[in-house]
Amino acid sequence: MSLEEDLRETLRTRASSFHGEGPQLDMWHNVSAGVRRDRRRRAVLAGGTAAVALAAVVAVPVILANRDGRALPPPADEVGPSWPVPSWPAPAFPFEPGWVPSGAGSPVVTVMGANVLLTYEHDSSVLAAETGPVEPEWEAEGEEDHAGEVGGRPATVRTASTFDGAEPGEEFVGVRWRSAGGAWMQVLSWGDRSEQDVLRFARGLEPGSVPAGPADVTFALVPPGFGLQHQSDTALCAAAPEVVTSGRQPAGLCAFVVDEPYAPLVEAGPEAVTVGGRAASYYSDPGKLDVDLGGGRTLEVSWDFPLTRDEAIRFAEGVTVR
C-alpha cells in the first residue's frame, strides 16, 4: 500500500467512526507533504506516468455545472439568504526566501488551518517552510536533535541520515524556531541538501509575500462569518474564525477531490440523492456527501457543525473544480 493509499484509508476510517466530534482528519500534514513526495517518487520510478495522471486531475474543468457551463449556486430560498459569497483575501506565505537551493522546484503555498506552508518539490526532493501560531509537526523521525540559531533566535535542528523512500545520498534535515513576534517557524528538507543548506534557506526568510496560486476547488457560497481554513491542490475548507485560528488540520465545511471511483458505503446506510444532476450519497452521521464526478473521481463534502441535508446538497452544487 502506498503512502497516499495508507493516509487515505486512515482518513476514511477516522471519518467513518466520527460521532459528533468532527471528521478527525488529523494526518493532513502528511497529506500536504508526504503524499506529494510519494507521488513524485512514484512518478520517477514509473517514468513519469504518475505525473501525467496527476496533471490530468488538475486539468479537469468545472465539475458541477448546468448545461450552459455556469456553476450552479445554491438557491437562496433553500440555503437561506444569509449565506454570502466567499470574500476572504487571497492566501500567501508571509515570508520571502532570500536564497533557494538550485533545482528546488517551483513554490506552492498551502493553507493549513492557522498556519501557512511553502513547498518546493523536484523529483524526489521536498523543501518546505511553515509559519503560524500552531507548532508544526516534524513529519519525519530524527536520529538526533541539537541546538542551532536562525536570525539570532535559538532553534532546534533535527537530522536523519536517511528516511523512508530516500534516494542514495538523500537525508532529512529540519529546523524549528520562534520568530521575534512569537510565531512558529520551521523548515524541513528531504533530499540531497545539507544542514548548512537548510539553515541558509531558513536564515534567508524575510518578511514579504509568496502568493498562492489559483484555487483548484472553489465555493459559490459559505455560511456567514466563515473564512478560509484550508487550501491545497485538491481541497478547500471554510470555517468559523475560532476554528480557523486553532489548528492545522482541515475543519469546518470542506470539499475534497479524490482520485477514486464513486462507491457508496452501503454499510453506512447512505441516502441516494442528486447533486447538480449527478449521483450522490448523503450520510447524516458523520456529516458527509459524496458526489460522482465521473472518470473514476469523487467529490467528498464533509462538515463538523450542524448542517441540514438540503443545505449540504445546495452547497455541493456550488462547488467547482478548476
Side-chain angles (χ1 to χ4, degrees):
M1 179 179 290
S2 71
L3 172 62
E4 183 176 3
E5 291 168 338
D6 183 57
L7 290 173
R8 181 175 292 134
E9 180 62 28
T10 300
L11 297 181
R12 284 182 176 276
T13 299
R14 297 191 181 189
S16 64
S17 63
F18 157 63
H19 292 289
E21 298 179 358
Q24 300 297 316
L25 304 182
D26 61 350
M27 291 182 67
W28 193 259
H29 55 277
N30 288 327
V31 176
S32 298
V35 164
R36 287 198 181 100
R37 187 166 65 254
D38 185 59
R39 284 175 173 173
R40 290 290 187 182
R41 293 197 183 102
R42 285 187 282 120
V44 173
L45 294 174
T49 303
V52 172
L54 180 57
V57 172
V58 177
V60 172
V62 172
I63 51 175
L64 299 175
N66 61 19
R67 294 182 179 178
D68 296 327
R70 293 176 287 107
L72 291 172
D77 59 345
E78 297 196 47
V79 171
S82 61
W83 279 46
V85 175
S87 60
W88 50 71
F93 186 74
F95 292 87
E96 189 171 0
W99 175 81
V100 178
S102 61
S106 300
V108 175
V109 175
T110 301
V111 176
M112 299 179 64
N115 291 5
V116 185
L117 178 74
L118 174 66
T119 307
Y120 295 85
E121 292 185 47
H122 180 70
D123 294 334
S124 62
S125 74
V126 176
L127 177 65
E130 184 175 343
T131 184
V134 180
E135 185 174 7
E137 301 286 344
W138 281 113
E139 311 286 6
E141 294 292 332
E143 294 173 356
E144 65 90 28
D145 292 357
H146 59 268
E149 67 80 23
V150 177
R153 308 289 299 177
T156 299
V157 180
R158 172 170 293 192
T159 61
S161 58
T162 189
F163 53 87
D164 184 30
E167 300 290 341
E170 292 187 332
E171 59 183 308
F172 169 77
V173 180
V175 55
R176 181 185 297 169
W177 72 101
R178 288 281 193 119
S179 70
W184 286 102
M185 301 285 294
Q186 178 172 277
V187 174
L188 304 178
S189 170
W190 295 262
D192 59 3
R193 289 169 289 272
S194 66
E195 178 179 332
Q196 290 70 32
D197 291 333
V198 175
L199 286 172
R200 181 181 177 184
F201 174 80
R203 290 165 179 160
L205 292 172
E206 298 290 342
S209 179
V210 179
D216 289 329
V217 181
T218 59
F219 297 162
L221 298 178
V222 294
F226 273 37
L228 178 63
Q229 195 274 340
H230 176 90
Q231 180 177 311
S232 58
D233 56 352
T234 57
L236 188 71
C237 297
E242 62 271 18
V243 176
V244 172
T245 59
S246 63
R248 300 169 70 241
Q249 314 308 331
L253 183 55
C254 299
F256 303 87
V257 178
V258 296
D259 196 17
E260 293 182 353
Y262 170 72
L265 302 174
V266 178
E267 63 276 15
E271 177 185 353
V273 296
T274 300
V275 174
R278 298 176 180 271
S281 296
Y282 170 77
Y283 304 85
S284 60
D285 186 15
K288 189 169 180 288
L289 181 65
D290 291 348
V291 184
D292 184 5
L293 303 182
R297 308 209 340 267
T298 303
L299 172 69
E300 296 183 355
V301 176
S302 65
W303 56 95
D304 55 13
F305 61 97
L307 197 68
T308 69
R309 169 185 172 278
D310 287 345
E311 286 173 338
I313 292 173
R314 301 313 174 195
F315 168 78
E317 287 179 334
V319 174
T320 62
V321 171
R322 188 168 65 93

